[in-house]
């Protein structure tokens, strides 16, 4: 049995990227969305994340990206996955895969059971689904705001592909979140920051330490 896998998202500096890799993160994410305090331009992300390529899967997080942005990302960053965190349809996701050659992670905003209905539409389209909390109305960002949802909505849920639990995770709640949800993979951004957009080496270590000292229970996503 393999461990719960972690994605550390919104990395934009060498020291915190190193902390994520050293702590055993299986996925590392660059947020390419100018409204975000974690935004990193594609070319800069390309330089920064190259050192990660042999150790983890690189993820580009985007929100309703146009073709020009996708082309820039594919050229500069060459991510293993594109994380679609907007209102993208399955048809658009298939185009994104074709345009970039990257795998697809689709984020779905969750508040209650009804929000899980679109899961079936993504079967065979997304490599992984990422269940994130629906953000408060009027929020500038569709994610990365530390909002969480009822993890028990995911309990005993069997999906075709491994999925990520996201939204409001942090070193204090990660063990319980995994235990309640049964998540095979988890994703964190603001919960390992000292201020919005400022990743913290100690918090990243603490998060990964709590996660990896927990009971292994999920199948490996990346072999
Ligand atoms: O982090 C951002 O700024 C961001 C911007 C636009 C779309 C998604 C974003 N982040 C993603 O949000 C979730 C949860 O974040 P948090 O842990 O609650 O802060 C995570 O998947 C990030 O990848």
């Amino acid at each position: 049995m393999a461990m719960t896998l972690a994605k550390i998202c919104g990395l934009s500096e060498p020291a915190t990227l190193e902390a994520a890799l050293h702590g055993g993160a299986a996925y590392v994410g660059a947020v390419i969305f100018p409204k975000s305090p974690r935004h990193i331009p594609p070319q800069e992300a390309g330089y920064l994340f190259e050192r990660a390529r042999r150790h983890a899967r690189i993820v580009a997080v985007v929100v309703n990206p146009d073709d020009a942005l996708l082309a820039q990302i594919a050229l500069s960053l060459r991510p293993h996955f594109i994380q679609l965190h907007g209102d993208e349809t399955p048809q658009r996701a298939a185009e994104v895969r074709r345009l970039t050659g990257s795998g697809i992670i689709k984020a779905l905003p969750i508040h209650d059971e009804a929000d899980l209905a679109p899961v079936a539409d993504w079967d065979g389209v997304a490599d992984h689904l990422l269940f994130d909390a629906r953000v408060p109305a009027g929020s500038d960002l569709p994610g990365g705001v530390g909002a969480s949802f009822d993890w028990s909505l995911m309990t005993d849920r069997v999906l075709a592909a491994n999925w990520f639990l996201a939204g409001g995770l942090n070193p204090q709640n990660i063990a319980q979140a995994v235990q309640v949800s049964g998540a095979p993979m988890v994703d964190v951004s603001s919960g390992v920051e000292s201020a919005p957009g400022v990743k913290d080496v100690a918090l990243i270590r603490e998060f990964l330490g709590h996660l990896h000292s927990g009971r292994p229970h999920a199948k490996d996503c990346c072999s």
Side-chain angles (χ1 to χ4, degrees):
M1 255 188 318
M3 290 187 298
T4 306
L5 299 176
K7 169 168 166 269
I8 306 291
C9 200
L11 292 158
S12 56
E13 290 183 340
T16 46
L17 175 59
E18 282 301 330
L21 296 174
H22 201 254
Y27 297 79
V28 287
V31 174
I32 302 175
F33 185 56
K35 282 187 186 169
S36 169
R38 305 167 186 98
H39 172 66
I40 179 167
Q43 201 174 18
E44 211 178 298
Y47 293 131
L48 176 66
F49 280 77
E50 197 47 40
R51 74 186 70 194
R53 190 169 300 282
R54 285 187 301 120
H55 309 287
R57 303 294 173 98
I58 299 167
V59 181
V61 179
V62 288
V63 181
N64 303 323
D66 62 20
D67 289 0
L69 178 60
L70 291 168
Q72 254 187 300
I73 290 172
L75 189 68
S76 306
L77 180 57
R78 298 189 299 122
H80 296 92
F81 292 95
I82 303 268
Q83 178 175 322
L84 297 172
H85 219 105
D87 310 312
E88 303 86 2
T89 62
Q91 291 71 24
R92 179 61 179 156
E95 277 173 24
V96 172
R97 185 192 292 280
R98 187 176 48 75
L99 284 167
T100 61
S102 299
I104 300 293
I105 298 172
K106 175 57 187 155
L108 296 178
I110 307 297
H111 174 65
D112 53 32
E113 183 76 34
D115 293 326
L116 290 161
V119 165
D121 302 339
W122 289 93
D123 202 16
V125 179
D127 296 276
H128 303 293
L129 291 175
L130 183 150
F131 299 100
D132 190 6
R134 189 173 282 286
V135 296
S139 174
D140 266 356
L141 300 176
V145 301
S148 56
F149 68 97
D150 177 1
W151 304 319
S152 70
L153 288 170
M154 303 309 299
T155 307
D156 296 332
R157 203 165 284 274
V158 179
L159 300 183
N162 271 338
W163 50 274
F164 291 90
L165 179 72
L169 301 177
N170 59 48
Q172 280 69 48
N173 67 16
I174 186 58
Q176 200 196 352
V178 170
Q179 193 186 24
V180 172
S181 66
M185 306 199 282
V186 295
D187 180 22
V188 61
S189 186
S190 59
V192 290
E193 291 179 344
S194 56
V198 183
K199 286 285 176 303
D200 186 287
V201 165
L203 289 174
I204 290 172
R205 284 189 190 138
E206 202 185 337
F207 182 89
L208 293 171
H210 283 309
L211 183 69
H212 293 153
S213 64
R215 205 185 281 261
H217 74 286
K219 64 186 179 198
D220 192 331
C221 81
C222 299
S223 54

